[in-house]
Amino acid sequence: MAIISIASTKGGVGKTSLAFSLAKDLGYRYATNDMSVALNKYRNARYYPNKIPLYPDTVYDFGGFESPHVEEILLQSDIILLPTTNDANSIMKSLVFIKKFREKTILVFANMLENPNDALAIREKIHEHFPGLAFTYLRRTKLLKNALETGQSATELYESNNHTQHLYRQAYGEYRKILKLFTTEGEYFQRPQTS
């Protein structure tokens, strides 16, 4: 079980759709400081306009702005996923964010990519300043957006029929790499203590 934060001071990088899908797929709470449609789509979703409580087994979706309360949660998180798109402003804001939280475990999530070369370009720019930082990517796809709009997780949408499995095969494989970090196959999963 883990405390997962998805954060970026840049808006429009895909935080909410990723946070929503991970929360639903893991059976975690979804907590946010930013109003979004996710609040109407998941019974375990909560909006905290002021101070956000710290809970275990929670995916935090932090809006594209800074807040001292957000920093408290980020410092307690087991991992921070940092969505980044292939534009100079997004990469610059990601570098500033990494510098501020460099003591934490951060996974840079290159998102909404037009082609795989965009992922390489982002990774090179990030690794120029922070060599070896964990990195993954998701090409431009409607998988996460459509999952959020239908109130399904990415896995639920993908597995719903043969057509969606064909349509989202590649995108779901990329998403699943992130999801697996928090399942029994991954490094952030802690088995319950037995007595």
Side-chain angles (χ1 to χ4, degrees):
M1 310 302 174
I3 297 170
I4 305 164
S5 287
I6 300 178
S8 170
T9 55
K10 174 79 169 66
V13 292
K15 294 183 291 292
T16 297
S17 56
L18 176 61
F20 172 81
S21 257
L22 284 176
K24 279 207 79 183
D25 276 331
L26 294 168
Y28 279 21
R29 286 181 185 91
Y30 167 92
T32 185
N33 63 344
D34 199 11
M35 290 295 288
S36 81
V37 70
L39 297 166
N40 299 322
K41 301 289 186 177
Y42 185 37
R43 63 180 176 83
N44 288 330
R46 298 291 181 274
Y47 168 58
Y48 298 99
N50 301 309
K51 187 170 171 103
I52 302 175
L54 180 67
Y55 292 117
D57 308 336
T58 300
V59 177
Y60 289 92
D61 170 18
F62 292 126
F65 53 88
E66 295 187 40
S67 159
H69 304 303
V70 167
E71 190 167 325
E72 293 170 20
I73 300 289
L74 290 171
L75 292 171
Q76 295 297 318
S77 297
D78 295 298
I79 185 170
I80 300 169
L81 279 78
L82 177 60
T84 307
T85 57
N86 191 24
D87 70 75
N89 196 35
S90 178
I91 293 167
M92 185 264 313
K93 287 191 172 202
S94 291
L95 290 169
V96 170
F97 183 96
I98 295 164
K99 183 176 181 183
K100 184 172 186 176
F101 294 101
R102 65 182 166 271
E103 302 303 319
K104 298 300 301 175
T105 300
I106 296 173
L107 171 63
V108 176
F109 173 65
N111 198 14
M112 299 185 278
L113 304 177
E114 297 297 339
N115 65 66
N117 291 334
D118 290 344
L120 295 174
I122 295 170
R123 186 173 65 189
E124 283 177 15
K125 289 171 187 167
I126 298 291
H127 284 176
E128 181 181 323
H129 300 276
F130 301 98
L133 192 67
F135 185 91
T136 192
Y137 65 92
L138 183 62
R139 286 171 242 234
R140 184 172 294 280
T141 175
K142 292 189 176 180
L143 171 63
L144 295 177
K145 175 184 176 290
N146 289 347
L148 175 58
E149 289 178 358
T150 62
Q152 300 176 80
S153 71
T155 300
E156 290 169 336
L157 179 59
Y158 173 75
E159 292 178 348
S160 62
N161 59 60
N162 289 338
H163 175 70
T164 56
Q165 289 177 24
H166 174 74
L167 185 64
Y168 299 124
R169 180 178 293 119
Q170 185 173 25
Y172 183 71
E174 293 168 0
Y175 166 78
R176 182 141 171 73
K177 286 188 292 185
I178 297 172
L179 180 61
K180 281 172 61 175
L181 291 172
F182 308 103
T183 67
T184 52
E185 306 165 61
E187 62 185 289
Y188 296 100
F189 179 85
Q190 299 170 6
R191 284 175 171 64
Q193 297 293 326
T194 56
S195 49

